[in-house]
Amino acid sequence: VQLVESGGGLVQPGGSLRLSCAASGFTFSGYGMYWVRQAPGKGLDWVSTITAGSTNTFYADSVKGRFTISRDNAKNTLYLQMNSLKPEDTALYYCAAGLRYWGQGTQVTVSS
């Protein structure tokens, strides 16, 4: 089982990034997928969830209206489009399959 996040980086406040999470080794289409983040010195913070068939999406209040979660089951890939980024969005972003399998994370830093 492997989940590999990519797309993080340094961006100015108000900017955008698109995170990707490439999955392998399990039946991606059968799992609800999550984005979870961890800011420096803080605990894990749930960001967003998408159901297995993309029927439903859910967002933390802190990112609602700015972030969009999506998935491509044909490509075994999860995405997180992040717009209007704020300094408080700075964190290590993890994808997780059913909260059972986790990636290694990709760093997002929002700073001027």
Side-chain angles (χ1 to χ4, degrees):
V1 172
Q2 197 169 24
L3 291 167
V4 180
E5 300 94 337
S6 61
L10 174 64
V11 63
Q12 292 187 343
S16 298
L17 284 174
R18 188 193 196 203
L19 306 184
S20 298
C21 171
S24 61
F26 66 101
T27 306
F28 178 76
S29 61
Y31 281 80
M33 295 297 296
Y34 298 75
W35 286 102
V36 179
R37 65 188 181 185
Q38 186 170 29
K42 296 190 176 181
L44 293 174
D45 182 29
W46 169 73
V47 174
S48 184
T49 300
I50 186 167
T51 53
S54 302
T55 305
N56 297 105
T57 58
F58 306 90
Y59 299 93
D61 287 343
S62 58
V63 307
K64 200 172 294 183
R66 300 188 297 120
F67 290 10
T68 302
I69 191 171
S70 62
R71 65 191 296 164
D72 185 336
N73 285 346
K75 295 183 178 180
N76 288 349
T77 303
L78 175 72
Y79 303 100
L80 185 68
Q81 178 66 44
M82 305 187 296
N83 299 328
S84 302
L85 282 161
K86 304 175 180 180
E88 52 263 43
D89 294 318
T90 294
L92 187 62
Y93 283 72
Y94 298 95
C95 67
L99 297 178
R100 177 179 183 182
Y101 306 123
W102 291 73
Q104 83 290 345
T106 186
Q107 179 67 41
V108 172
T109 302
V110 185
S111 175
S112 55

